């Protein structure tokens, strides 16, 4: 069941009604409702994989309890490794098994050896990378004694499968989300309005920007041999907006839906395309994953405390793992490596934290210097997205080669003018709201009700005008 | 909370009202044709072309309407060659709403008889092209209930209305050439022998068909009738619940509305002195299985049509070369079936 489907439009009010009107006096019952709703939503996609979630929940819940009782270091480590093996093992099997088998065979055939290993027809469970990391954060935090183990199985199971963010994040830390299941949730209309606004903006990003850009990005990338450099560059630009609209749109909807139920999720995107350097971009893009890697991988590896070699090694590890997390394809690894290369000079020159605040914080427009930095960073990300979107590394390389020919000066063969207008409008709203949590958080908030409602109505009709068949969210596959 | 709910309801109602108003814009045939041209539903444009430019072909003729079953199964050329002036105006996807739309457009042209497809199973949902052809007020007037299908339809129609406004602004009219490849259109492939006699498929199909008669049998399959096992009882209860609260629930399933379209069709025919009939198009399981032969008339007798065309025995189609797949007749199959049908018309 997708957030942009009619099924979800029925599902959400039904759960909302039961949650606030029928079960509002009992937290445990509310949690059970959310758990049932979450399992229902996940089972709607493929009920067989419910057992996978349930199994992991049981394993990590039990390990949490044992860790709380166990003081001996060796035994504690054993419990931690059990959780890591179960979680990462299942992720590895479902997501990377065929990739490794294929590459193993290919590598050995290069040296003349042949193996008769067969790949399996494995369905990738939706959102497996997201909930794997979420449960891992719980076990690691309990192991490090930064977190008390879950007080009840229901609360923990609800934390693992919380439906708004189950399949594509934000990857919540147990320390932030789990305690919210213990406390009584109080309905606050301002927060609920805010949630609805964020859902609306998320739908706009997904349906108006991402899905429309996807149409042209797919057309251009799937027929890249037929297009000039300028058109291919345009295709990369469309994909740049597609992936941002798609993923940040999902996050906005997830956060907005959570707010309707009295939960607060972390911000996942903070206007990354307005970043002035790559380090800032990575502080603003997929924040829940970046901070996860920072806290559970980069810092344990030594972070940036050691010598130059250590910094270079750790930076590469984190970016390569981040790339590989997205999928079993070398294109993602190259994308990660490219970002590491972008990031390294800043780290080595100790300039990676020079742009912490919001761009043009005290003015409406950026300075020329800021604008040029922003444009340069944006172009670097566009270039990296080519690898992310391409079918394989050779495909990406062919596209890049064509872009850097004189055909970049040709008039593009694809020019969807209405889409350009939508993108400009989108950038204008996002720029106006760059100091907030999401684009329209305070947009027109202090104008009259008529103007405000008129604006929301305009967004709704833009959404209606652009509805095609329900399109999957890209990050469901990761 | 009250204020929140109130505002949400008001805002949602405003959206629905605006959508409804927008959706009431009437589309020209040219726009409809442009939307379907070059797609799987190009036949819509072809039909409109017949209605607007080949009125004589319709007058006093026999018109077939329905889904791909009819589209593939009835060869109007054979009928016309045998002195039965006829046209196959069927469009892919089983539904009565689209057939009714064309019936209303055809009625003033005075055909002799209009023949709808009679499904052995219920038609649910709405046709994919209803948002393109129907205005909401028309659809409601023809028998559509206000349910989830209607809401979904309304948004799609509103989207198309916006596209239509741009279409008018651009003044983008173009002539579409429809050759005579229609009436009927065939997939040239045949079913393999293996597929044709696949018992599982036939069994599955029989169960599917039987499930639509379960209410007559206390929700037990024929094979379960003499079984008093408690598990069977639970299964029967489950089927009863699904039948009563899902299949018959017009909010979740559009079957009642689809039945309403048939009644409206009959009314329209009566008003215009046109014979309203229904035809049953067989599927593979009818040809190869030993289904009780009284089952087909049993289903069909529920119909409200003046005439129902069916054969008590479809064994004459027991040959894999007569079928494209388990639901559709091949070109040969269509010729064979139509040559038998002509004697009934």
């Amino acid at each position: 069941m997708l957030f942009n489907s009619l099924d979800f439009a029925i599902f959400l009010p039904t759960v909302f009604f039961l949650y606030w009107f029928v079960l509002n006096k009992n937290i445990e019952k509310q949690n059970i409702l959310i758990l049932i709703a979450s399992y229902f939503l996940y089972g709607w996609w493929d009920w067989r994989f419910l057992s996978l979630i349930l199994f992991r929940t049981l394993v990590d819940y039990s390990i949490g309890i044992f860790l709380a009782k166990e003081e001996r270091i060796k035994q504690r480590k054993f419990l931690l490794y059990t959780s890591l093996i179960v979680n990462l093992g299942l992720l590895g099997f479902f997501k990377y098994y065929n990739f490794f088998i294929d590459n193993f065979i290919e590598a050995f055939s290069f040296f003349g050896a042949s193996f008769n290993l067969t790949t399996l027809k494995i369905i990738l469970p939706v959102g497996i990378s997201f909930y794997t990391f979420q449960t891992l954060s719980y076990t690691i935090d309990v192991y490090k004694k930064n977190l008390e183990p879950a007080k009840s199985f229901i609360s923990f199971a609800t934390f693992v499968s919380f439906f708004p963010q189950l399949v594509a994040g934000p990857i919540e830390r147990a320390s932030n989300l789990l305690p919210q299941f213990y406390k009584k949730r109080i309905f606050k209309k301002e927060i609920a309005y805010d949630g609805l606004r964020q859902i609306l903006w998320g739908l706009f990003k997904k349906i108006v920007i991402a899905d429309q850009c996807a149409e042209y990005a797919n057309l251009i990338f799937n027929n890249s041999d037929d297009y000039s450099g300028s058109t291919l560059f345009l295709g990369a630009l469309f994909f740049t907006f597609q992936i941002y609209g798609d993923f940040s749109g999902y996050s906005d909807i997830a956060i907005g839906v959570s707010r309707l139920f009295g939960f607060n999720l972390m911000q996942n995107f903070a206007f990354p395309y307005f970043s002035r350097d790559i380090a800032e971009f990575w502080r603003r893009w997929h924040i829940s994953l970046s901070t996860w890697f920072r806290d559970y991988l980069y810092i344990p590896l030594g972070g940036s405390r050691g010598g130059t070699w250590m910094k270079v090694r750790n930076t590469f590890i984190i970016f390569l793992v981040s790339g590989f997390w997205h999928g079993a394809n070398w294109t993602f690894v190259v994308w990660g490596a490219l970002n590491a290369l972008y990031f390294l000079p800043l780290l080595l020159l100790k300039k990676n934290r020079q742009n912490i605040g919001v761009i043009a914080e005290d003015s409406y427009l950026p300075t020329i210097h800021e604008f040029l930095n922003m444009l340069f960073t944006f172009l670097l990300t566009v270039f990296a997205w080519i690898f992310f979107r391409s079918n394989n590394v050779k495909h990406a390389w062919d596209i890049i080669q064509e872009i850097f020919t004189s055909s970049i000066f040709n008039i593009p063969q694809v020019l969807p003018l209405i889409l350009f207008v939508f993108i400009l409008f989108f950038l204008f709203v996002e720029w106006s709201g760059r100091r907030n949590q999401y684009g329209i958080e305070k947009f027109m908030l202090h104008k009259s009700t008529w103007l405000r409602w008129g604006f929301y109505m305009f967004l709704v009709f833009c959404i209606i005008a652009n509805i095609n068949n329900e399109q999957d969210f890209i990050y469901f596959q990761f | 909370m009250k204020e929140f709910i109130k505002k949400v309801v008001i805002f949602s109602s405003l959206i629905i009202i605006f959508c409804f108003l927008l959706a009431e814009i009437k589309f020209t045939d040219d726009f409809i044709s442009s939307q379907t041209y070059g797609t799987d539903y190009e036949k819509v444009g072809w039909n409109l072309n017949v209605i607007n430019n080949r009125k004589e072909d319709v007058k006093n003729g026999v018109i077939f309407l329905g889904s791909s079953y009819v589209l593939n199964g009835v060869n109007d050329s054979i009928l016309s060659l045998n002195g039965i002036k006829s046209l196959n105006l069927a469009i892919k996807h089983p539904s009565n709403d689209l057939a009714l739309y064309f019936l209303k457009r055809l009625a003033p042209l005075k055909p002799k008889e209009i023949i709808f497809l009679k499904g052995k199973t219920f038609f649910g949902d709405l046709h994919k092209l209803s948002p393109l052809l129907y205005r909401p007020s028309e659809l409601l007037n023809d028998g559509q209930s206000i349910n989830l299908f209607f809401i979904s339809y309304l948004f799609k129609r509103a989207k198309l209305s916006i596209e239509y406004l741009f279409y008018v602004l651009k003044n983008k009219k173009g002539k579409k050439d429809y050759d005579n490849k229609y009436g009927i259109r065939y997939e040239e492939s045949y079913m393999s022998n293996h597929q044709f006699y696949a018992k599982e498929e036939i069994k599955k199909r029989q169960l599917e068909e039987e499930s639509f008669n379960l209410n007559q049998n206390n929700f037990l399959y024929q094979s379960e009738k003499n079984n008093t096992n408690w598990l069977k009882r639970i299964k029967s209860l489950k089927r009863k619940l699904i039948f009563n609260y899902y299949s018959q629930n017009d909010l979740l399933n559009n079957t009642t509305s689809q039945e309403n379209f048939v009644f409206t069709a009959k009314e329209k025919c009566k008003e215009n002195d046109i014979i309203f009939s229904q035809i049953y198009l067989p599927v593979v399981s009818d040809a190869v299985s030993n289904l009780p032969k009284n089952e087909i008339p049993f289903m069909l007798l529920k119909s409200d049509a003046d005439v129902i065309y069916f054969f008590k025995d479809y064994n004459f189609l027991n040959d894999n070369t007569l079928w494209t797949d388990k639901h559709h007749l091949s070109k040969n199959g269509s010729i064979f079936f139509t040559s038998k049908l002509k004697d009934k018309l």
Side-chain angles (χ1 to χ4, degrees):
Chain A
M1 197 188 293
L2 300 172
F3 283 170
N4 49 338
S5 69
L6 193 64
D7 301 324
F8 189 74
I10 298 157
F11 168 85
L12 184 63
T14 311
V15 180
F16 181 87
F17 173 81
L18 293 171
Y19 184 84
W20 288 116
F21 290 97
V22 181
L23 306 170
N24 55 333
K25 291 197 174 93
N26 189 315
I27 307 170
E28 196 68 5
K29 283 181 184 166
Q30 281 185 326
N31 289 347
I32 291 172
L33 173 72
I34 293 179
L35 182 63
I36 293 169
S38 303
Y39 274 50
F40 177 79
L41 197 93
Y42 198 78
W44 190 276
W45 169 70
D46 194 330
W47 60 270
R48 290 169 299 176
F49 290 118
L50 284 175
S51 55
L52 194 67
I53 295 188
L54 186 64
F55 172 68
R56 285 165 160 223
T57 307
L58 284 166
V59 168
D60 284 306
Y61 179 70
S62 313
I63 286 175
I65 288 174
F66 289 131
L67 277 173
K69 289 177 187 165
E70 187 59 69
E71 286 299 328
R72 290 168 294 177
I73 294 171
K74 210 173 169 185
Q75 273 72 3
R76 288 177 68 78
K77 274 193 175 165
F78 171 75
L79 290 167
L80 176 69
Y81 290 146
T82 307
S83 172
L84 289 176
I85 289 166
V86 168
N87 284 300
L88 295 177
L90 285 170
L91 178 68
F93 174 74
F94 281 104
K95 197 163 175 174
Y96 302 107
Y97 175 83
N98 284 342
F99 174 78
F100 281 120
I101 292 290
D102 283 340
N103 281 280
F104 184 77
I105 294 168
E106 215 165 285
F108 277 86
S109 68
F110 183 75
F111 297 106
S114 68
F115 286 91
N116 196 17
L117 295 170
T118 47
T119 52
L120 301 174
K121 281 183 186 168
I122 300 171
I123 305 170
L124 183 67
V126 167
I128 189 169
S129 309
F130 290 91
Y131 61 75
T132 298
F133 275 38
Q134 188 152 311
T135 49
L136 275 180
S137 83
Y138 168 79
T139 318
I140 297 170
D141 283 352
V142 173
Y143 171 78
K144 286 183 173 176
K145 298 190 176 173
N146 292 338
L147 183 77
E148 288 290 310
K151 288 178 184 170
S152 80
F153 178 73
I154 295 293
S155 303
F156 182 71
T158 317
F159 155 74
V160 175
S161 63
F162 188 45
F163 75 86
Q165 45 86 248
L166 173 62
V167 286
I171 302 165
E172 276 299 325
R173 303 297 174 77
S175 54
N176 175 43
L177 186 57
L178 194 55
Q180 295 185 51
F181 290 105
Y182 307 146
K183 284 189 289 187
K184 183 171 171 59
R185 274 81 68 175
I186 297 160
F187 183 84
K188 287 186 183 152
K189 67 176 188 214
E190 290 74 22
I191 293 176
Y193 289 139
D194 200 37
L196 286 182
R197 265 195 299 274
Q198 196 158 3
I199 292 171
L200 180 62
W201 190 236
L203 285 171
F204 181 88
K205 281 178 175 176
K206 166 67 182 156
I207 294 167
V208 181
I209 302 300
D211 289 352
Q212 302 312 310
C213 283
E215 204 175 298
Y216 294 102
N218 291 342
L219 176 78
I220 295 169
F221 273 89
N222 294 343
N223 305 285
S224 52
D225 291 346
D226 304 337
Y227 290 115
S228 64
S230 56
T231 315
L232 292 172
F233 177 71
L234 204 59
L237 263 183
F238 285 136
F239 182 70
T240 303
F241 285 108
Q242 179 199 348
I243 193 151
Y244 175 59
D246 193 286
F247 193 22
S248 73
Y250 179 91
S251 294
D252 280 338
I253 300 168
I255 295 167
V257 169
S258 304
R259 288 191 171 177
L260 290 179
F261 292 90
F263 290 91
N264 197 17
L265 301 185
M266 70 184 293
Q267 189 185 16
N268 211 16
F269 289 85
F271 313 98
Y273 291 154
F274 300 141
S275 303
R276 289 151 288 184
D277 59 49
I278 283 294
E280 188 186 5
F281 174 83
W282 278 105
R283 281 192 297 276
R284 294 174 175 278
W285 179 272
H286 202 175
I287 299 165
S288 64
L289 182 72
S290 312
T291 52
W292 198 101
F293 279 128
R294 183 195 64 201
D295 295 345
Y296 298 107
L297 188 64
Y298 188 66
I299 292 174
L301 284 170
S304 51
R305 278 169 300 181
T308 308
W309 159 243
M310 179 89 115
K311 284 179 192 172
V312 173
R313 186 200 71 173
N314 292 349
T315 303
F316 264 97
I317 288 175
I318 196 170
F319 277 105
L320 289 177
V321 172
S322 171
F324 203 50
W325 176 89
H326 284 86
N329 194 328
W330 287 109
T331 51
F332 296 122
V333 178
V334 175
W335 172 76
L338 202 54
N339 275 287
L341 287 174
Y342 291 164
F343 183 80
L344 265 180
L346 294 169
L347 183 73
L348 297 176
L349 296 170
K350 294 190 177 163
K351 288 189 171 179
N352 57 317
R353 299 191 69 79
Q354 65 179 352
N355 292 312
I356 298 291
V358 177
I359 185 170
E361 191 146 24
D362 303 319
S363 59
Y364 192 76
L365 293 174
T367 61
I368 292 174
H369 179 69
E370 280 176 327
F371 177 77
L372 290 176
N373 282 345
M374 196 168 72
L375 186 66
F376 181 65
T377 309
F378 179 74
L379 290 174
L380 285 179
T381 55
V382 173
F383 184 74
W385 287 130
I386 294 174
F387 285 94
F388 197 94
R389 172 60 183 80
S390 297
N391 303 332
N392 51 53
V393 177
K394 188 185 174 301
H395 184 212
W397 190 242
D398 290 344
I399 290 174
I400 290 164
Q401 277 184 320
E402 185 60 37
I403 287 176
F404 287 102
T405 62
S406 59
S407 69
I408 188 75
F409 300 109
N410 293 357
I411 293 169
Q413 291 138 289
V414 177
L415 272 176
L417 294 176
I418 294 175
L419 183 55
F420 286 138
V421 174
F422 277 127
I423 290 174
L424 282 177
F425 168 75
F426 167 67
L427 285 174
F428 166 71
V429 174
E430 288 263 296
W431 176 261
S432 307
R434 68 192 181 282
R435 298 179 190 90
N436 308 316
Q437 294 283 310
Y438 60 94
I440 62 165
E441 186 182 3
K442 291 183 179 150
F443 199 82
M444 290 195 149
L445 202 59
H446 303 296
K447 305 280 180 195
S448 70
T449 309
W450 284 110
L451 266 177
R452 208 170 57 246
W453 278 38
F455 173 67
Y456 299 149
M457 203 64 88
F458 168 74
L459 293 182
V460 169
F461 277 94
C462 286
I463 290 168
I464 290 172
N466 286 285
I467 288 175
N468 281 323
N469 290 334
E470 295 150 14
Q471 308 275 335
D472 265 348
F473 287 86
I474 296 177
Y475 265 69
F476 278 19
Q477 64 187 295
F478 299 142
Chain B
M1 177 67 97
K2 259 187 192 168
E3 196 194 322
F4 173 77
I5 300 284
K6 200 173 107 188
K7 280 193 178 175
V8 169
V9 169
I10 292 172
F11 190 76
S12 311
S13 308
L14 280 175
I15 292 170
I16 302 277
I17 291 166
F18 281 135
C19 278
F20 197 97
L21 292 174
L22 199 58
E24 275 299 309
I25 296 171
K26 194 171 194 269
F27 302 160
T28 57
D29 285 352
D30 188 69
F31 176 71
I32 294 168
S33 301
S34 74
Q35 290 287 307
T36 51
Y37 196 71
T39 72
D40 262 9
Y41 299 103
E42 191 174 279
K43 182 77 187 299
V44 170
W46 190 87
N47 284 5
L48 291 174
N49 187 41
V50 168
I51 292 167
N52 293 324
N53 303 320
R54 291 168 53 190
K55 294 177 181 163
E56 279 307 305
D57 292 350
V58 176
K59 199 173 178 185
N60 290 324
V62 178
I63 311 293
F64 289 88
L65 294 169
S67 71
S68 55
Y69 284 37
V70 181
L71 184 65
N72 284 46
V74 177
N75 188 320
D76 50 7
S77 308
I78 289 186
L79 293 175
S80 296
L81 283 172
N82 282 280
I84 303 164
K85 185 179 170 186
S86 62
L87 267 176
N88 183 339
L89 298 186
I91 309 275
K92 279 184 176 182
H93 190 81
S95 82
N96 293 321
D97 43 318
L98 223 62
L100 176 58
Y101 172 84
F102 282 110
L103 184 151
K104 291 198 298 182
R105 298 285 305 260
L106 290 159
L109 308 182
K110 299 286 172 203
K112 186 179 96 185
E113 184 176 1
I114 286 186
I115 306 178
F116 266 37
L117 169 68
K118 176 67 195 169
K120 198 184 274 186
T121 56
F122 300 127
F123 292 158
D125 68 33
L126 269 171
H127 197 285
K128 272 185 189 173
L129 294 187
S130 296
L132 183 64
L133 300 175
Y134 266 106
R135 284 187 293 165
S137 56
E138 283 176 332
L139 194 64
L140 290 172
N141 209 26
D142 282 351
Q144 175 62 40
S145 317
I146 296 179
N147 58 13
L148 299 176
F149 294 90
F150 182 72
I151 301 287
S152 171
Y153 148 86
L154 196 60
F155 286 134
K156 286 176 190 163
R157 174 79 187 182
K159 172 195 157 67
L160 281 168
S161 296
I162 296 170
E163 279 180 29
Y164 178 66
L165 292 175
F166 277 103
Y167 179 84
V168 173
L169 276 174
K170 282 183 187 167
N171 200 16
K172 211 172 96 180
K173 284 184 183 171
K175 193 179 177 321
K176 276 110 203 148
D177 295 319
Y178 294 102
D179 56 28
N180 268 336
K181 63 184 171 182
Y182 294 112
I184 31 177
R185 188 163 71 168
Y186 301 104
E187 307 286 341
E188 284 299 334
S189 61
Y190 296 133
M191 273 190 100
S192 70
N193 247 325
H194 175 72
Q195 286 173 313
F196 188 65
Y197 289 109
K199 282 187 180 152
E200 314 79 61
E201 277 299 327
I202 293 164
K203 200 174 165 191
K204 195 175 143 202
R205 179 71 194 166
Q206 281 174 331
L207 285 178
E208 272 172 19
E209 287 159 3
E210 220 187 319
S211 65
F212 286 88
N213 268 332
L214 280 179
N215 56 332
Q216 313 285 329
N217 298 331
N218 200 21
F219 297 93
L220 287 167
Y221 287 119
Q222 299 286 342
S223 56
E224 296 170 343
K225 267 190 163 176
N226 300 321
N227 196 328
T228 51
N229 186 328
W230 61 272
L231 202 64
K232 301 282 179 223
R233 299 279 163 221
I234 290 176
K235 279 186 177 171
S236 127
L237 193 69
K238 185 182 141 198
R239 288 174 203 138
K240 191 175 183 175
L241 283 171
I242 291 173
F243 183 85
N244 288 333
Y245 297 101
Y246 180 72
S247 305
Q248 296 294 294
N249 185 334
D250 206 39
L251 190 69
L252 301 171
N253 209 321
N254 211 33
T255 44
T256 312
S257 300
Q258 285 291 345
E259 287 298 307
N260 292 343
F261 296 136
V262 177
F263 295 132
T264 311
K266 186 173 181 178
E267 291 299 312
K268 292 283 167 200
C269 284
K270 211 181 255 176
E271 280 169 24
N272 291 282
D273 283 330
I274 301 166
I275 302 166
F276 177 64
S277 317
Q278 285 188 287
I279 184 168
Y280 175 75
L281 262 292
V283 290
V284 162
S285 62
D286 295 319
V288 292
S289 68
N290 294 315
L291 273 180
K293 294 291 177 270
N294 61 354
E295 190 184 324
I296 296 160
F298 170 75
M299 285 299 298
L300 297 174
L301 284 171
K302 279 166 62 183
S303 170
D304 207 24
D306 299 326
V307 187
I308 302 149
Y309 298 106
F310 67 94
F311 299 90
K312 284 200 173 182
D313 187 350
Y314 286 96
N315 273 337
F316 65 91
L317 295 168
N318 192 346
D319 176 350
N320 66 303
T321 63
L322 302 180
W323 298 87
T324 297
D325 56 43
K326 64 188 167 113
H327 291 142
H328 300 103
L329 288 161
S330 65
K331 187 173 182 177
N332 288 347
S334 162
I335 293 168
F336 199 44
F337 174 73
T338 312
S339 54
K340 292 253 182 193
L341 179 68
K342 74 176 173 21
D343 302 329
K344 281 189 170 271
L345 288 171

